[in-house]
Amino acid sequence: MTPKNKTKKLVRPPIVVIMGHIDHGKSTLLDYIRKANTTEFEAGGITQHISAYEVEIMAGGEKRKITFLDTPGHEAFCSIRARGAKVADIAILVVSSEDGVKPQTLEALDCINKDAIPFIIALNKIDRPGANIDKVKQNLAENGVLVEGWGGNIPAIAISAKTGAGVPDLLEMIALQSDMEELEGDPSIPAEGFVIESDLNPKQGISANLIIKNGYLKTGMFVATSGAYAPIRAIENYKEENISEATFSSPIKIVGWSAGPKVGSEFKTFSKKEEAIKFATETNQNNDICNIFQNDCISFGVVIKADTFGSLDAVEHELKKLGNEKIAVRIISKDVGDVSENDIKTAKIKNSLILGFNVSTDKSASGLAMRDGIEIKNYQVIYDLVDYVKEKIKEATPVETVEITTGSAKIIRVFSKNRDKQVVGGKIEEGEIKSGGIIKIYRRESFIGTGKIKELQIQKLKADIAREGQEFGTMIESKIDLVPGDVLKATSLIRQE
């Protein structure tokens, strides 16, 4: 694969990222293009990792290669989406012709605009009865996206990812956009690109999925990124086939890393191990989470285990948004792989719960957790994990009782007094007072005591409530001797969480 002419640059296939709202059909579109089903492997039909696929299409009468990135649409995976945009040359923004612009659509647009990536709008679901293309184009214009024919130059292709209608036109537009970008690569230099996923396999060790943006790599070389390196003993393509070398725009998998590569980080390749170690060491940055808590804030500890580093990053991103002024979520430890005995011991020491995402729990760990009373919750869908933590935070949040004033009245006349019970007449100045309610007594604006309204009458008729402007008679139970001019303020206690 390494060319003989090592100075000539070649046309590089485009790397295309598919972005958009969670249920607008990104994975369905990619499925149709690849003629394969990927969504059945995702919990709830949701893409929760970055996946990369190489396809070959016919465009302009010739065969063209395109590498597609399928990114998660859920808001929790915003950081992964942002990394997908960073890697890509062209973005496809999928928007439902029924639903129009949604929150994740705007987030995807923000990612695209930050990196100034040329993009194409795919108006999906045109086969649905509720489809309204013009309405969606208007919706896009209202959000600053002007498509062709609506005063702008952004291509918009109407498609149905389900039936395939319009998909060939979309692929032709990708090829045209790629030509306009004049993408090139030098196959003579050592490869560089980005880490798009990494995980831990108990048998193989740490592996990472990479996208090559330029250059080439082959077995016998070394690959390195911030804080991690690996000897290239084998290269696996997106079909899980072993290959001896690869070049630009290709998605590949490398096994045997010294540590978990940070998803989204840049990688380079070297001919010598010492050079790779030097690069990994010099570019290493401390990526540990540092949570700062207020003195009066309670920390809610969690141990996170996930199937991949990308998933771990997404769960962490979502948990950092939870908590309130009284409870702060504190990540005690995080790692990839199944829940182990060591996780149980860590959770016990820190009095924390364990959250698993797309992982299992070792049999020995389950027994230890049951013995020590450690809670383990495993999830496949991030919504469920987040909802559970929200509920736990709500349960752990201290409840305060706050006293509020609901009304005030001025005493006009004192009719009688019998021990601690007094019959008085007055007028409501503000709000309302209720029979059976607690009152505070003020004299010349100074608090002098409390009491309780035993009975309440309006125009000599029994009443439950007296409201602003009404005159009333009442029996007050209080040890304070009331006099005309005293002010009664009705109070109520409410729970404030």
Side-chain angles (χ1 to χ4, degrees):
M1 182 177 293
T2 307
K4 295 179 181 179
N5 186 348
K6 296 193 175 186
T7 60
K8 183 180 179 181
K9 287 189 175 183
L10 303 177
V11 174
R12 178 170 66 81
I15 298 171
V16 179
V17 61
I18 299 180
M19 308 176 81
H21 190 66
I22 189 168
D23 58 355
H24 283 191
K26 302 179 308 300
S27 294
T28 307
L29 172 59
L30 188 58
D31 289 345
Y32 185 86
I33 293 171
R34 296 188 305 115
K35 299 297 184 181
N37 190 349
T38 60
T39 55
E40 66 179 357
F41 299 110
E42 296 286 356
I46 303 167
T47 305
Q48 301 191 114
H49 303 299
I50 289 183
S51 299
Y53 306 96
E54 224 173 29
V55 300
E56 194 171 74
I57 67 167
M58 288 298 295
E62 61 177 348
K63 289 184 177 180
R64 303 279 294 268
K65 281 188 176 181
I66 301 175
T67 295
F68 283 97
L69 295 179
D70 181 18
T71 73
H74 182 254
E75 192 275 336
F77 295 84
C78 183
S79 59
I80 292 181
R81 265 206 314 279
R83 287 193 293 269
K86 182 181 179 182
V87 172
D89 303 305
I90 300 169
I92 304 297
L93 182 60
V94 180
V95 184
S96 167
S97 296
E98 283 188 307
D99 301 332
V101 175
K102 291 291 184 180
Q104 280 80 43
T105 312
L106 297 176
E107 289 171 6
L109 271 170
D110 187 53
C111 293
I112 291 168
N113 290 331
K114 282 181 178 178
D115 284 318
I117 301 173
F119 67 103
I120 302 165
I121 302 289
L123 299 171
N124 194 24
K125 301 187 180 182
I126 59 172
D127 56 301
R128 303 288 286 269
N132 189 332
I133 294 175
D134 286 340
K135 184 178 178 181
V136 176
K137 288 181 178 180
Q138 177 65 40
N139 195 192
L140 287 164
E142 291 167 354
N143 287 276
V145 181
L146 300 177
V147 301
E148 292 176 345
W150 282 70
N153 58 1
I154 298 171
I157 310 296
I159 68 165
S160 168
K162 184 178 180 180
T163 67
V167 174
D169 295 332
L170 178 63
L171 296 176
E172 286 276 0
M173 183 56 68
I174 293 172
L176 177 61
Q177 188 72 59
S178 176
D179 292 340
M180 292 173 62
E181 294 300 312
E182 298 181 342
L183 303 175
E184 292 183 330
D186 186 346
S188 68
I189 63 174
E192 57 185 38
F194 295 93
V195 178
I196 60 170
E197 186 58 279
S198 61
D199 60 19
L200 175 63
N201 185 305
K203 295 180 180 179
Q204 294 181 315
I206 298 172
S207 66
N209 295 342
L210 314 176
I211 283 282
I212 303 173
K213 289 291 294 239
N214 198 14
Y216 82 101
L217 56 73
K218 61 182 181 180
T219 54
M221 299 177 74
F222 296 85
V223 61
T225 186
S226 174
Y229 74 95
I232 305 176
R233 296 191 179 96
I235 306 169
E236 198 174 279
N237 66 14
Y238 78 97
K239 295 179 182 178
E240 298 184 347
E241 299 170 336
N242 284 324
I243 56 178
S244 60
E245 51 186 276
T247 189
F248 36 74
S249 300
S250 295
I252 59 170
K253 180 178 181 179
I254 302 294
V255 177
W257 291 76
S258 60
K262 184 69 175 176
V263 176
S265 61
E266 187 177 5
F267 78 83
K268 292 183 181 295
T269 50
F270 303 89
S271 58
K272 297 181 179 179
K273 180 178 179 180
E274 294 76 13
E275 295 173 339
I277 293 175
K278 182 180 179 182
F279 177 82
T281 304
E282 290 180 349
T283 58
N284 188 26
Q285 297 177 350
N286 184 10
N287 293 311
D288 292 338
I289 290 184
C290 179
N291 290 315
I292 301 174
F293 303 101
Q294 299 175 355
N295 293 332
D296 58 350
C297 194
I298 301 170
S299 65
F300 181 82
V302 295
V303 172
I304 308 173
K305 297 302 289 287
D307 56 338
T308 70
F309 290 102
S311 292
L312 194 67
D313 189 23
V315 172
E316 180 184 321
H317 171 82
E318 188 72 357
L319 291 183
K320 286 168 71 175
K321 299 190 299 181
L322 303 182
N324 50 48
E325 68 276 4
K326 299 172 186 175
I327 298 285
V329 177
R330 184 183 182 190
I331 299 174
I332 304 301
S333 70
K334 55 175 184 172
D335 203 354
V336 295
D338 292 339
V339 178
S340 65
E341 287 190 26
N342 188 56
D343 298 317
I344 307 300
K345 294 173 183 176
T346 300
K348 182 179 180 181
I349 293 171
K350 298 293 185 179
N351 192 28
S352 307
L353 64 87
I354 299 174
L355 299 173
F357 187 67
N358 285 328
V359 296
S360 302
T361 302
D362 293 344
K363 188 174 181 180
S364 57
S366 295
L368 185 61
M370 187 176 296
R371 190 194 73 184
D372 293 343
I374 302 300
E375 189 174 9
I376 305 173
K377 303 294 288 187
N378 289 316
Y379 295 94
Q380 288 185 303
V381 177
I382 199 166
Y383 308 126
D384 298 334
L385 183 151
V386 171
D387 287 344
Y388 172 75
V389 175
K390 284 181 179 177
E391 189 61 33
K392 294 296 286 186
I393 290 173
K394 184 178 179 181
E395 293 174 3
T397 301
V399 177
E400 293 181 357
T401 303
V402 179
E403 184 180 78
I404 63 170
T405 299
T406 59
S408 64
K410 181 176 284 188
I411 294 178
I412 299 172
R413 184 176 176 182
V414 177
F415 294 104
S416 66
K417 177 177 172 58
N418 181 11
R419 294 186 180 181
D420 56 356
K421 293 183 175 65
Q422 303 165 71
V423 178
V424 303
K427 184 176 181 179
I428 306 297
E429 294 185 321
E430 186 179 6
E432 63 185 27
I433 62 172
K434 296 181 179 181
S435 179
I438 302 299
I439 57 169
K440 287 189 173 184
I441 304 167
Y442 290 80
R443 184 169 296 161
R444 291 188 286 274
E445 298 184 355
S446 297
F447 173 71
I448 60 173
T450 61
K452 184 176 183 180
I453 299 174
K454 299 296 290 183
E455 295 179 14
L456 189 61
Q457 292 185 353
I458 298 175
Q459 295 181 347
K460 297 184 179 181
L461 296 176
K462 187 176 180 181
D464 294 325
I465 301 174
R467 294 186 172 87
E468 186 173 337
Q470 291 182 321
E471 293 187 354
F472 65 93
T474 183
M475 177 182 285
I476 303 292
E477 184 178 76
S478 177
K479 294 181 180 180
I480 302 297
D481 289 333
L482 300 173
V483 300
D486 286 350
V487 174
L488 310 179
K489 291 189 176 182
T491 62
S492 177
L493 298 176
I494 62 171
R495 289 162 59 93
Q496 188 176 63
E497 298 183 359

